[in-house]
């Protein structure tokens, strides 16, 4: 009979410990806000890696951007980011483009804007990159290194 009383008590103790751990995993407002510049960098790096023959880096950046973007946008929609932290860390354009019917819709808008902006910056850096694949690859590799894209995880 003592074993039957002990098992539910053990289960409840373990459950409480698990819930305490999951609550401790919650990010702060600052941590959520800092996901926005990281998302910006990840999408930029995906553009730089587009010209690489090995597309594994680009695929890695796609996965990261989707994960980071969804987490950030969900936190913003759930009011987990204070106005102060938003102002300090989030790119202005992300605030202007944050409306939409779903998290993935907003992420798509941000992705499109960031990708377009990054292509424009590559073009500013390299007049002939649109028509010259070798030159585009060279510029993309340089920007990839300068932005420390390999270090992003």
């Amino acid at each position: 009979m003592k074993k039957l009383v002990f098992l539910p008590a053990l289960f409840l103790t373990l459950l409480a410990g698990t819930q305490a751990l999951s609550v401790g995993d919650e990010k702060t407002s600052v941590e959520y806000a800092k996901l926005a510049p990281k998302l910006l960098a990840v999408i930029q790096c995906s553009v730089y890696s587009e010209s690489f023959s090995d597309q594994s880096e680009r695929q890695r950046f796609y996965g990261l951007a989707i994960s980071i973007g969804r987490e950030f946008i969900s936190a913003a929609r759930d009011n987990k980011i204070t106005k102060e932290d938003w102002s300090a860390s989030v790119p202005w354009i992300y605030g202007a483009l944050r409306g939409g019917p779903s998290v993935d819709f907003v992420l798509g808008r941000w992705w499109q804007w960031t990708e377009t902006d990054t292509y424009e910056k590559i073009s500013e850096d390299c007049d002939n990159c649109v028509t010259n694949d070798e030159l585009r690859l060279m510029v993309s590799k340089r920007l990839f290194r300068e932005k420390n894209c390999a270090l992003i995880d």
Side-chain angles (χ1 to χ4, degrees), residues 3-71:
K3 287 182 182 178
L4 292 177
V5 173
F6 175 73
L7 289 176
L10 177 63
F11 174 74
L12 290 174
T13 303
L14 291 174
L15 182 63
T18 304
Q19 288 176 340
L21 287 175
S22 66
V23 170
D25 292 343
E26 184 73 18
K27 286 183 170 56
T28 65
S29 171
V30 171
E31 290 170 324
Y32 280 125
K34 287 185 178 183
L35 290 174
K38 185 173 183 178
L39 174 63
L40 181 77
V42 169
I43 297 171
Q44 289 171 335
C45 290
S46 79
V47 172
Y48 302 144
S49 64
E50 181 180 66
S51 302
F52 299 177
S53 58
D54 179 7
Q55 288 294 295
S56 61
E57 272 295 86
R58 184 141 202 216
Q59 293 303 319
R60 182 175 77 85
F61 289 124
Y62 282 162
L64 274 172
I66 290 168
S67 174
I68 293 166
R70 285 177 176 164
E71 183 179 10

Side-chain angles (χ1 to χ4, degrees), residues 91-106:
W92 70 270
I93 193 67
Y94 284 5
L97 297 176
R98 71 179 176 174
S102 70
V103 168
D104 286 343
F105 180 87
V106 174

